[in-house]
Amino acid sequence: MKVALVYYSSTGNTEAMANAIAEELSGKAEVDTIDPSLFGPGDVEGYDAFAFGCPAMGAEVLEEDVFEPMFSSVEGSLSGKKAILFGSYGWGDGDWMRNWEERCRADGIVLSHDPVIANEAPDEDAINSLKEAANSLIS
């Protein structure tokens, strides 16, 4: 099983979430941690599952300069593929994640676990949810 772990982090909170996923999958799957600026449509076929992470930015949207353009370019290639979504926020109530989840489902992406969000740094509950989400990718 080969998993692409593609995330953007500006404060380190979403990176901490990505690290929890990578740690949980260590020894269970081959995980490539990929900067979103280096991932595109031609890379999708090389993976069995995907973990996408992006914090809320601005008015609760995906990061607009790097992550959003990457995701827009690959989402059409992800129909029928297994994925999880995660990210952190510092304001609002998670609207960016609900919108992203709806978008993925409309694209035919198979979300194997509910998205995981953390208010600022991930707490113990978020880490446990991330571990469950990671394992859902390989089960």
Side-chain angles (χ1 to χ4, degrees):
M1 168 74 64
K2 192 169 181 183
V3 177
L5 175 55
V6 185
Y7 73 92
Y8 176 90
S9 184
S10 59
T11 64
N13 293 330
T14 300
E15 180 177 18
M17 298 175 82
N19 290 341
I21 291 168
E23 183 178 309
E24 183 64 24
L25 292 177
S26 178
K28 300 176 185 178
E30 181 182 342
V31 179
D32 290 340
T33 301
I34 307 167
D35 184 291
S37 67
L38 303 175
F39 191 77
D43 301 311
V44 170
E45 288 307 315
Y47 294 94
D48 303 301
F50 303 85
F52 290 107
C54 187
M57 302 293 280
E60 282 207 80
V61 296
L62 296 174
E63 190 279 328
E64 298 169 300
D65 294 327
V66 178
F67 195 89
E68 173 62 42
M70 175 280 301
F71 195 77
S72 290
S73 77
V74 301
E75 67 184 305
S77 305
L78 294 169
S79 182
K81 305 279 187 182
K82 193 183 271 194
I84 58 172
L85 307 176
F86 64 95
S88 61
Y89 67 102
W91 61 90
D93 67 355
D95 200 36
W96 103 102
M97 187 60 75
R98 287 188 295 278
N99 292 337
W100 190 16
E101 178 183 13
E102 284 178 26
R103 177 178 169 184
C104 288
R105 292 191 190 284
D107 289 334
I109 299 169
V110 179
L111 296 179
S112 60
H113 192 276
D114 289 338
V116 180
I117 62 174
N119 188 346
E120 304 294 349
D123 61 13
E124 186 177 343
D125 288 342
I127 296 294
N128 289 335
S129 291
L130 289 163
K131 290 177 179 181
E132 290 173 10
N135 285 310
S136 75
L137 284 175
I138 59 172
S139 60

